[in-house]
Amino acid sequence: MIVVTKRQGMMMARCARCGNEIPAGSVFCTYCGIPVASGVAAAPGSGAQMPQPGTAASGFAPNTVPGTGTLPPVPQPAGPADNGGSAPQGQPGSQSQPGKKPPLTPAQRKKRKIIIAIIAAIVVVAIVVGGVAAFLILHGRKNAAAGPAQTSDTTDATPKKTQKQSPTQIEGKKAVSEVTMTNFVCNYDTSDWGWDGGAVVSDVMPCANGDASSSSDSDYGSSSQSADDGQYAFGVWTPAMDESKVIYFSALKSGEKMYSDPVVAATYGPNPAVFVIYAVKTKAVGTTPETVHLFAHQVDLKSGELSDRIDLRTEEDNLINLQQDYKFDVLAQSNNRVAIEKSWKTTEKRTVNDDQREVEIGHKQIMGLSGGAKQAETLQTFKDSVSISKDSGGYQSLNTTEVDVDDYHVFDTYVVKDSAYHLYSIDSNKEIVKIPSDYCSPGDTYRCDLQGLYRFGANQYVLNPSESYNGNKLLILDAGTGKTKKVTDLLNINMKDDQYVNFTDFGQFSDGSLYFQWDESSDSKRVFILSRDLKVTEVLDGGRWARLMLNSGEFEGVNYLLKQFYVKTTDENIIVDEKGETVGSYTLTPSDDDADDYDHTAVDWIMWRDGSENTVTVTRGQVPGEPAPDSSDGSGSSSGDGSAGDSSSGD
């Protein structure tokens, strides 16, 4: 109960538990924390009822603080044992003296501090909970106004959370595993498709814009339109495209005429840059002779438009009084550049034996075309060297060492030959290695004429001399050390001194490994695979190959992506994998006429030609019309980085 006292003319309430006075308007006893009615309690006998905590009359809901929500019950004192409550009636300390506050014991002070701390913590928690609840309510209303929230719930009725797609997924290229080139006709000539770098392109045909049409016929006859008007068309497909496309362009401007037929060249990579390159003559005007100029355009494969002209700067070398025999060629490609060789001739004078002679000098300049660049780069410049020698009698002779630049279609490389072979990188614009001109047979430069080149590994190259299938001369060069190894030694082929190993077929798979077919004898046909770590695998034994094929010659085809051989036996057409196991039969083989046009190790697609239908199709290794192979098994998966390559296989 609440004890009410009268002090200085006003009614004062006392706490029934601790006996201390309660200030007017207090909700809790400030000493022991017991809840009390608000305001000053009425005097006994006045008839007024004191509102009890938790009732409607008190102005508060049970255990609440205004604006904060419901509070947990206030802890109650434990009773007399803790010295925090009132003493039993009739015992000392049960009544307080009027006008004087009874002193608090240490236990009462400690208990009061604990209770006040608990109440403060409860108030803070209530404020935080109330704030969070208000934020959630307002945020929910905002989301409701904006639309339904996304969720990761997997039920069909709930919208799925959008996953961020990789560039490949965004473009949707992985889903495309087969593309058939669309044939088109210009003046009765039908497109002919083939590889160039990482793109499949058709030949460039004289064709007025809109004159091309789709056709599956191989040829309607010869073209009646000349290239004098400079209108051309060609087809193109790259791995970034879902289908092939026909590009129309006009090569000439006013006062120009064609000097060379246009060609198309592309870089490697998942989204190759494609260029059109051609040379024109400016017409002679008055006393100004004609001059030759070489230009390129990058092709916008989405719009079909060509960029502004990229000048390959032949005007720097034009002499107005001479025809300089200008020529150009596509040398090789990397993921970043196409290397173009320009060549021309000039004359110089030399005095020999007191006579002045004119000497014809050949010039070679290597230009680089990069995707998105508005100008071409000059990479390297070479020219023939001229020297004068004397014999013992003092007679002078004029000697010219010609410079030749060779195209082996090996990723990021080209070869310059003078008195030695110089292997250059397109991307770094530096010489990779210098190879002696008699690398395969000291003192015999004729036999060592370099006919083929393969990129075998990070710093290894396969050199194929003029005796192209003579295994005795086939070498693997370490560009770092300059040392070579004979392929026959690596294959552990034992030969007599006068015996020659003639490989009837050899080439390169997309993973960089090499395959060799050797007719050891009339009773033995052997097939080897040499991996980039120089491990050798023999596919079947020689006797079985000879019996299967009856010495009929080479394979019908090789799938360099899936590492499979297409073999015509005495009774079947079977496909044999690298382990010598039969994995299927065939009616169509991969195209074998493109090995000199691109590096197998820099692409992830293979070409098929159906001669009966005149169709060209590229796939990820599978026969057209069949499901694509699972790239996760590693079979035929190409790195596409040019880490190994071939230029001229024995296909």
Side-chain angles (χ1 to χ4, degrees), residues 457-532:
N459 213 28
Q460 297 185 102
Y461 297 87
V462 179
L463 308 179
N464 183 18
S466 57
E467 297 179 10
S468 58
Y469 296 121
N470 189 345
N472 303 56
K473 304 296 184 182
L474 199 61
L475 301 173
I476 294 181
L477 168 71
D478 187 318
T481 64
K483 296 181 178 180
T484 59
K485 296 178 181 179
K486 287 185 177 182
V487 169
T488 51
D489 291 344
L490 294 171
L491 299 181
N492 197 26
I493 295 177
N494 297 319
M495 302 177 301
K496 297 179 181 179
D497 292 340
D498 59 349
Q499 183 183 8
Y500 288 92
V501 177
N502 294 315
F503 292 120
T504 58
D505 187 15
F506 75 92
Q508 191 168 38
F509 294 120
S510 62
D511 64 359
S513 59
L514 300 168
Y515 64 87
F516 304 89
Q517 181 181 329
W518 176 38
D519 290 348
E520 183 179 30
S521 67
S522 59
D523 298 326
S524 179
K525 183 186 296 289
R526 303 178 69 179
V527 178
F528 304 93
I529 295 178
L530 179 64
S531 64
R532 290 170 56 188

Side-chain angles (χ1 to χ4, degrees), residues 143 147-153 158-163:
N143 287 345
Q150 292 182 331
T151 176
S152 59
D153 190 278
T158 306
K160 307 297 187 296
K161 181 180 290 186
T162 302
Q163 298 293 327

Side-chain angles (χ1 to χ4, degrees), residues 331 341 404-409 413-417 421 449-450:
L331 273 181
E341 172 201 356
D404 191 19
V405 180
D406 291 321
D407 176 6
Y408 296 103
H409 296 282
T413 60
Y414 61 91
V415 176
V416 178
K417 180 185 177 182
Y421 294 97
D449 184 27
L450 188 61

Side-chain angles (χ1 to χ4, degrees), residues 17-18 31-32 77-87 105 107-108 111 115:
R17 174 170 292 175
C18 64
Y31 295 94
C32 69
D82 64 7
N83 296 323
S86 60
T105 66
Q108 288 176 327
K111 179 64 64 177
I115 293 174

Side-chain angles (χ1 to χ4, degrees), residues 390-395:
K390 290 182 180 181
D391 61 14
S392 58
Y395 181 81

Side-chain angles (χ1 to χ4, degrees), residues 264-282:
V264 181
T267 64
Y268 288 107
N271 189 12
V274 179
F275 298 91
V276 177
I277 307 140
Y278 58 90
V280 300
K281 283 184 180 181
T282 58

